[in-house]
């Protein structure tokens, strides 16, 4: 809200999708992805667990603002979607749902685990995130 207001005061249009009524999550599907916006913006690449790995690691949250302000682009440090993942498979071992495999993450298996095991204990704010902690990419781009 602060950044949207600040941009507005400087004469720019700005919108935070997560605060806009057009943003929706229906049937566990969103019409906006902060992770994908962060990837497009050059902040990092995806890992096997589908988390976004940045210079500060994968255990984080993202937010985005759409604006008409002209902001100079910075060069990306990567080319590919999975460049920061070293495929160490540590996230496979950390996943209590066994939803992550060498081929990638099985989203329905992860979702079922969240609904069955995690949500009942921690609603309304719930999630797992075990695949993003105690792994080489938790707080950095892994070597």
């Amino acid at each position: 809200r602060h950044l949207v207001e600040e941009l507005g005061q400087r004469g720019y249009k700005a919108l935070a999708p997560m605060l806009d009524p057009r943003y929706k999550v229906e049937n566990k599907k969103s019409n906006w992805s902060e992770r994908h916006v962060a990837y497009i913006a050059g902040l990092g690449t995806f890992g096997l667990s589908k988390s976004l790995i940045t210079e500060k690691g994968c255990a984080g949250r993202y937010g985005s603002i759409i604006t008409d302000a002209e902001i100079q682009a910075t060069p990306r440090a990567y080319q590919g979607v999975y460049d920061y993942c070293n495929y160490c498979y540590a996230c496979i071992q950390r996943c209590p749902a066994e939803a992550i495999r060498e081929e990638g993450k099985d989203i329905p298996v992860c979702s079922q685990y969240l609904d069955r095991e995690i949500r009942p204990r921690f609603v309304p704010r719930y999630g797992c995130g075990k695949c993003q902690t105690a792994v080489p990419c938790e707080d950095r781009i892994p070597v």
Side-chain angles (χ1 to χ4, degrees), residues 48-49 87-105 130-131 135:
L48 190 62
S49 68
Y87 296 94
C88 68
Y89 304 125
C91 56
I92 292 174
Q93 302 302 315
R94 295 281 299 149
C95 181
E98 299 180 355
I100 306 170
R101 299 178 183 94
E102 289 183 19
E103 311 82 55
K105 187 173 188 176
K130 295 264 189 214
C131 61
V135 293

Side-chain angles (χ1 to χ4, degrees), residues 52-108:
L52 188 77
I53 304 169
T54 71
E55 290 180 9
K56 301 292 184 183
C58 66
R61 300 253 182 223
Y62 310 96
S64 60
I65 294 174
I66 301 168
T67 181
D68 62 354
E70 289 189 34
I71 301 170
Q72 183 153 358
T74 54
R76 281 199 180 127
Y78 54 83
Q79 299 295 314
V81 176
Y82 296 100
D83 282 0
Y84 290 170
C85 182
N86 67 0
Y87 296 94
C88 68
Y89 304 125
C91 56
I92 292 174
Q93 302 302 315
R94 295 281 299 149
C95 181
E98 299 180 355
I100 306 170
R101 299 178 183 94
E102 289 183 19
E103 311 82 55
K105 187 173 188 176
D106 187 328
I107 303 296

